[in-house]
Structures are given as C-alpha cells and as structure tokens.
Amino acid sequence: MTLHDTARSAAHADGEAPPGNRVHLVRSTELDGFAAISGGTVGSKKLWMGRVVNPPMSATDNHHHGDSEAGIYVVSGHPVFVYHDGTREVRLAGNPGDFFLVPPFVPHREENPHPTEPAVVVIARTTQEPVKVAVPELYRHTVGEPA
C-alpha cells in the first residue's frame, strides 16, 4: 500500500468548494463545531457525520431530525436514548461499541446520567446538514403536523 499525503483535507484556503471526485480526510482537529463530513466541510451531497460529546449529568431537549435517519456509534461513555413507543417512555442504555438507529421524525432525547464520565458518540445522518427540530414531548407527531 502506498500512502500519499498530498491532498488537502476539509478546509480550502481559497474558499472554493472541495472537489467531488476524491476521498477527503477530515482530521479531528479540523471539525467545524460538531460536523466532520457535511456539504460545508467536504462538499457531501447526502451525508452528514459528526462527533458529539455529552457532558456528565446532561440531557438534550426532546427533538427529532426531520426526514433524516440518524445512525449513532458509541465511542465512550454510556449514553441513554429516550423515546416514546406510543404506550410508554422507553430508555435504551448504550455502551462503547454499540450502535443506535433513530428513524425519521421520531422524537427522542439523549441523556448522560454518569456523574463524571462524558459520553462520546459519532453520528451519521442521511441529510447533508444536521436537522434538529425541538418538540414539547416525546410523542410522535405525524408528518406535516406542527410540533
């Protein structure tokens, strides 16, 4: 295998969009906020990926990601994903190496109940950019219904 380190990674000094005909490397030091792979960083058309660190004893608001699917890989920590199955609230606890799938329009929240350890996850979404729609509760809304 031959290694070549001549291609630029995500950022372009000239402000031009990254070319769409090559593999892009985004180093962990080059993340644009949480985003690693997006239209803005590498010119992706249908994919968004990023890293999220949930601090100890934290929880997000209730939200969904519109018509985007979200795949989550647990890097470290023990995040809890909470959603409502139509009858009751369900809590799914993850461990390092686990994966979660959040289908489109499914309200949920992420929690990190650990008192000292952050939870680190890598997220992939089927939209170019992240979509996050806050909702007042975890009940699923029908598509097109106001949140």
Side-chain angles (χ1 to χ4, degrees):
M1 180 166 101
T2 304
L3 294 177
H4 299 277
D5 195 21
T6 59
R8 290 182 288 185
S9 57
H12 286 265
D14 57 12
E16 291 184 22
N21 62 349
R22 65 174 176 85
V23 173
H24 297 269
L25 168 65
V26 180
R27 301 218 182 261
S28 61
T29 57
E30 297 175 328
L31 295 184
D32 180 13
F34 300 113
I37 296 173
S38 70
T41 60
V42 295
S44 68
K45 305 288 186 224
K46 299 179 183 178
L47 178 67
W48 183 95
M49 287 185 74
R51 180 181 64 210
V52 176
V53 178
N54 293 310
M57 301 299 294
S58 67
T60 67
D61 60 342
N62 298 329
H63 64 278
H64 66 74
H65 300 290
D67 63 359
S68 177
E69 288 183 311
I72 297 101
Y73 174 73
V74 180
V75 176
S76 62
H78 303 278
V80 176
F81 284 75
V82 184
Y83 74 101
H84 199 281
D85 70 0
T87 304
R88 63 184 175 81
E89 187 175 281
V90 177
R91 301 175 64 79
L92 300 174
N95 296 305
D98 290 346
F99 290 84
F100 291 92
L101 170 68
V102 179
F105 296 102
V106 172
H108 62 284
R109 77 175 164 265
E110 299 95 41
E111 299 178 352
N112 179 11
H114 197 279
T116 60
E117 182 181 20
V120 179
V121 299
V122 170
I123 300 174
R125 295 193 186 117
T126 56
T127 54
Q128 179 185 9
E129 302 299 335
V131 174
K132 185 178 178 188
V133 179
V135 294
E137 71 277 318
L138 291 176
Y139 292 99
R140 185 177 177 127
H141 298 273
T142 55
V143 175
E145 179 183 327

